[in-house]
Amino acid sequence: MTLPKVRKAVFPAAGLGTRFLPATKAQPKEMLPVVDKPLIQYGVEEARHSGIHNIIIVTGRGKASIEDHFDVSFELEHLLESKNRADMLSMVRAISDIVDVSYVRQKEALGLGHAVHRAKELVGHEPFAVVLSDDIIASQTPCIRQLLDVHEFYGASVLALMEVPKDQISAYGVVDAELVADNGRENRLFRIRNLVEKPKAADAPSNLAIIGRYVLTPEIFAAVEAIQPGSGGEIQLTDALKYMLRNRPIYGLKFEGKRFDAGDKLGFLKATVEFALNRHDLGKDFREYLRTICAQS
Ligand code: UTP
């Protein structure tokens, strides 16, 4: 049997972003720029570089600037054209040209599982990726591509995993998992036995946390419909995955790369510094500047 190709990626972007107040009072967290690019654009580019061109963004109130960002900006294009700024023009055009974007609304932030379920009609009965754009990942091979490679072999859902120190584990969904002998991915591929959302450190089944990249089979929608609100009174994606595990295998991959939690102030600052240092147009001067302030302190 040939597996359906993963063509679509769902971007839940209807959360309230309380960790980033007051910046997120009137603007979406997903539009905060790391260096000069909104968080969500990093995720969209990762999806595109993984071979996915169909983007579904789950939005809520106050998120209109996300739609404007991926739309054509006639006035800006006209202005750049008249000023002969071909470099900027092609950068601006690329944003609206690169992908096919559709939107669906989550009227109330009832949880990540609920947000993903809002995309049910647009996804249809096929496997799809989920990208949480406040996780930005720097890697050789895009993280979604790494998950797709596992999905294409096993035909099952795959979660991106990361080792997290014990004192931080209760901020994550955590898995109980057994290693799968896989020559290509030495000690990085797991078969999931159980999942717990935000456990107390003492109750965490491992130090392997789920981060914001998933490839899911469409059975996840029925699983979300079957569960009750969980941690924080929200409909949790982790709980739906646990439900789905009853009759579907789920794999976890310790991805290769570095993940920044840009939905958190410190994580956002770290991402900004590292991405700026790696920029060919800014890195040298920025490194020099950091050296001078380090020498002063
Ligand atoms: P977070 O857990 O980061 O929640 O959601 P949040 O509301 O965005 O931010 P904080 O914790 O209050 O600071 C992870 C992802 O899931 C989306 C968010 O937009 C974010 O991309 N999400 C979460 C929804 O789309 N809907 C929800 O009901 C909850």
Side-chain angles (χ1 to χ4, degrees):
M1 194 184 76
T2 52
L3 277 173
K5 190 172 153 40
V6 174
R7 302 181 302 145
K8 300 175 183 174
V10 174
F11 285 66
L16 301 176
T18 52
R19 283 173 296 155
F20 232 116
L21 283 167
T24 47
K25 182 167 177 256
Q27 68 165 328
K29 172 173 70 175
E30 295 75 13
M31 288 303 292
L32 294 174
V34 164
V35 187
D36 54 6
K37 223 190 286 182
L39 292 180
I40 194 161
Q41 196 179 328
Y42 286 92
V44 167
E45 288 178 2
E46 184 189 321
R48 192 172 68 97
H49 292 137
S50 302
I52 297 178
H53 296 270
N54 197 324
I55 303 298
I56 299 166
I57 303 181
V58 183
T59 64
R61 260 189 305 282
K63 304 277 183 171
S65 58
I66 299 179
E67 297 186 31
D68 290 341
H69 184 70
F70 290 107
D71 203 354
V72 179
S73 177
F74 290 110
E75 297 87 344
L76 182 61
E77 289 187 15
H78 180 71
L79 186 84
L80 294 172
E81 220 163 14
S82 64
K83 290 188 181 296
N84 286 326
R85 296 305 308 263
D87 50 341
M88 285 192 180
L89 184 63
S90 66
M91 177 173 61
V92 165
R93 278 201 178 133
I95 300 167
S96 50
D97 281 352
I98 48 176
V99 280
D100 175 16
V101 190
S102 21
Y103 299 89
V104 62
R105 201 101 170 157
Q106 186 192 27
K107 287 189 189 150
E108 224 184 315
L110 295 177
L112 179 58
H114 183 264
V116 170
H117 189 267
R118 294 293 301 132
K120 180 180 172 183
E121 299 304 323
L122 289 173
V123 169
H125 199 75
E126 55 184 273
F128 63 103
V130 174
V131 178
L132 306 190
S133 47
D134 43 0
D135 276 346
I136 339 187
I137 298 174
S139 58
Q140 286 271 319
T141 306
C143 183
I144 302 171
R145 185 66 254 166
Q146 297 178 40
L147 302 186
L148 287 172
D149 288 343
V150 176
H151 169 77
E152 283 164 12
F153 189 81
Y154 293 96
S157 296
V158 190
L159 322 177
L161 302 176
M162 187 179 95
E163 285 181 17
V164 166
K166 203 169 179 152
D167 61 334
Q168 292 165 27
I169 201 83
S170 54
Y172 294 86
V174 183
V175 299
D176 174 20
E178 64 186 315
L179 254 180
V180 175
D182 183 310
N183 286 334
R185 302 179 188 85
E186 221 51 71
N187 295 334
R188 292 193 300 113
L189 184 64
F190 296 83
R191 179 137 178 195
I192 310 288
R193 282 193 291 240
N194 195 10
L195 310 92
V196 198
E197 181 63 23
K198 299 191 173 65
K200 289 193 187 117
D203 301 334
S206 74
N207 65 346
L208 287 174
I210 306 166
I211 60 113
R213 299 290 185 277
Y214 310 74
V215 171
L216 301 176
T217 56
E219 292 78 21
I220 193 69
F221 297 121
V224 172
E225 286 157 21
I227 59 163
Q228 296 298 317
S231 167
E234 296 190 349
I235 300 185
Q236 298 288 356
L237 186 60
T238 307
D239 294 341
L241 288 163
K242 182 181 167 125
Y243 185 91
M244 192 166 81
L245 198 55
R246 294 176 184 189
N247 48 27
R248 299 273 160 180
I250 301 177
Y251 290 86
L253 180 72
K254 261 204 283 177
F255 69 96
E256 281 183 324
K258 188 164 182 183
R259 169 254 188 187
F260 298 89
D261 179 5
D264 165 81
K265 288 175 192 172
L266 184 60
F268 182 88
L269 289 172
K270 289 178 184 173
T272 303
V273 170
E274 293 217 22
F275 278 77
L277 286 173
N278 283 327
R279 280 274 293 256
H280 65 86
D281 55 340
L282 296 168
K284 190 167 162 286
D285 291 347
F286 189 48
R287 182 168 282 102
E288 208 44 55
Y289 171 70
L290 290 181
R291 279 207 186 100
T292 51
I293 56 170
C294 286
Q296 283 163 12
S297 61

